[in-house]
Amino acid sequence: MNLGTIHIDKPVALAPLAGWTDQAFRMICKEFDADIVVTEMASVDGLIRDHEKTFQLISFSDSERPIGLQLFGTEPETFASSIQKISHYKPDFIDVNFGCPAKKIIKRGAGSALMRNLDDMAEIIRAIKNETDIPVSAKIRSGWNSDIAVEAAQVLVDAGVSFLTIHPRTQSMQFKGEADWSIIEKLKKSVSVPVIGNGDIKNAGDALRMLEQTGCDGIMVGRAARGNPWIFRQIKDFIKFGIPPEPVSSGEKIDVCLKHYRYARDFYGDKIASHIMRKHMACYIKGLEHATELRRQIFLTYDYSEIEEKLLTCKNLLETENINKQELNEAV
């Protein structure tokens, strides 16, 4: 895929997940070979009003490049004003969210609510393009309650987007049912810009199937990356070399969880990081032996040193159990 400074064949991208893909998580995913990351969606209204928390959402380090800043809002003029506020960040691209199905976003007329008026979508893209030469992309759903993905994509390409990301569910489906990958295929055949497919990629096999079935230029992984940054490396190794994914050891899961926690502490400080990391820790330890008891113990405290001690104790216990199991198998 060729997009300005981005020249990557079949990129594997981290989706912008509200409340999840902050700087700490993006850095972890980059370390496990995510090609492209995108910030959590930031309100253009918050940006023009200089809300500190909104600017925190779009803060990033050079180690995260190539990176896109995802924005949401309703008024073209507000998007244009927000670009004046953030151009100095020099992201690799600016992504506009036309796909979020969350009720609080829909009520504001933003996200996938805009798919009910394609002219408004086009005006937003043109307003941004008038303010910057940074490439602009858009993330869309297949429609509001019916499939209009091709029509929407053609309007956005005419308005000047450099590439598109499609999640092939309608707004009314939310995240229920199956993503219809045939819509990705239709979209790819109908537009001249690169198309990234998103939706129901849970493992490396799913990623390869999407690429083969749809002909899309790249893929985007969202919920499956939570507590599982290894998925990016597994996908790339499977696509490029045919190497099937190997199970991640309990010890490595705990080590990476703690590293993620340390990044969060550096970014937020102890108090906020301890709250933010709870959901991440639950994902990292899910499926481990003793996970239920470990989760209960680490959720009793917000002190990093105590949580670190409990996680490392569990790691040592699991490694000892594995050794004992191996000795038993060898003896038998």
Side-chain angles (χ1 to χ4, degrees):
M1 191 175 84
N2 190 335
L3 172 62
T5 59
I6 304 175
H7 304 277
I8 304 171
D9 182 41
K10 305 297 183 186
V12 184
L14 170 65
L17 300 174
W20 289 88
T21 51
D22 60 5
Q23 187 170 0
F25 187 44
R26 296 195 305 266
M27 289 172 65
I28 287 290
C29 290
K30 287 295 288 188
E31 290 180 12
F32 284 95
D33 298 338
D35 290 310
I36 300 171
V37 296
V38 187
T39 64
E40 299 175 68
M41 62 180 182
S43 164
V44 293
D45 295 285
L47 290 171
I48 66 170
R49 292 171 182 153
D50 294 325
H51 286 177
E52 182 180 351
K53 289 184 178 179
T54 306
F55 277 94
Q56 189 178 64
L57 289 175
I58 63 170
S59 297
F60 65 91
S61 63
D62 280 341
S63 65
E64 297 170 68
R65 292 187 183 276
I67 186 170
L69 304 187
Q70 190 179 75
L71 307 178
F72 77 95
T74 58
E75 301 295 332
E77 298 81 6
T78 310
F79 273 93
S81 297
S82 74
I83 299 305
Q84 298 169 14
K85 295 269 187 178
I86 66 172
S87 289
H88 66 282
Y89 281 69
K90 292 182 169 56
D92 296 282
F93 61 96
I94 293 168
D95 187 58
V96 183
N97 186 302
F98 295 128
C100 180
K103 289 182 180 179
K104 65 180 182 180
I105 303 298
I106 296 299
K107 285 181 179 179
R108 297 171 62 174
S112 57
L114 283 160
M115 295 206 70
R116 293 178 294 188
N117 191 326
L118 302 188
D119 289 340
D120 286 351
M121 292 168 62
E123 284 300 317
I124 287 171
I125 298 300
R126 283 193 284 265
I128 297 172
K129 296 283 292 181
N130 286 338
E131 296 295 330
T132 183
D133 58 1
I134 297 171
V136 180
S137 65
K139 186 174 185 188
I140 64 174
R141 284 199 160 221
S142 54
W144 178 257
N145 53 21
S146 61
D147 175 18
I148 60 164
V150 170
E151 182 183 357
Q154 290 171 340
V155 167
L156 291 169
V157 171
D158 289 343
V161 296
S162 295
F163 73 95
L164 291 160
T165 302
I166 170 73
H167 182 114
R169 285 183 173 91
T170 62
Q171 187 280 335
S172 58
M173 291 175 68
Q174 299 283 311
F175 292 99
K176 299 175 182 177
E178 291 187 2
D180 185 353
W181 290 359
S182 68
I183 293 172
I184 302 175
E185 182 181 9
K186 287 193 299 183
L187 200 66
K188 173 59 187 169
K189 292 177 179 178
S190 71
V191 295
S192 57
V193 301
V195 173
I196 294 180
N198 173 228
D200 289 357
I201 296 177
K202 302 180 183 69
N203 52 51
D206 291 337
L208 181 59
R209 281 192 294 276
M210 177 181 280
L211 288 170
E212 291 177 341
Q213 291 178 20
T214 71
C216 62
D217 299 280
I219 57 171
M220 179 171 279
V221 181
R223 290 174 290 172
R226 297 180 299 185
N228 183 30
W230 298 270
I231 192 170
F232 298 99
R233 184 169 295 169
Q234 291 171 344
I235 288 173
K236 294 179 72 173
D237 285 347
F238 193 52
I239 290 172
K240 292 182 178 180
F241 309 113
I243 301 173
E246 294 184 358
V248 180
S249 71
S250 300
E252 185 175 3
K253 288 183 179 180
I254 290 173
D255 286 342
V256 173
C257 177
L258 286 170
K259 188 175 189 180
H260 185 168
Y261 202 146
R262 288 192 289 273
Y263 284 165
R265 291 173 75 210
D266 291 342
F267 190 59
Y268 296 108
D270 284 352
K271 185 175 181 180
I272 296 176
S274 64
H275 286 276
I276 287 174
M277 281 303 299
R278 284 197 161 194
K279 59 192 174 190
H280 287 286
M281 288 190 291
C283 290
Y284 278 110
I285 66 175
K286 183 179 181 181
L288 300 185
E289 291 188 58
H290 315 297
T292 301
E293 176 59 22
L294 177 59
R295 184 168 55 249
R296 187 190 69 79
Q297 289 185 23
I298 62 178
F299 283 9
L300 288 173
T301 179
Y302 286 100
D303 182 82
Y304 172 78
S305 59
E306 290 184 28
I307 292 171
E308 180 183 41
E309 180 183 1
K310 292 180 186 299
L311 286 170
L312 291 176
T313 298
C314 180
K315 174 186 172 182
N316 292 334
L317 174 63
L318 291 169
E319 288 177 344
T320 301
E321 289 180 348
N322 287 336
I323 291 172
N324 290 339
K325 288 176 183 177
Q326 182 178 354
E327 290 176 345
L328 178 62
N329 290 335
E330 289 175 352
V332 172

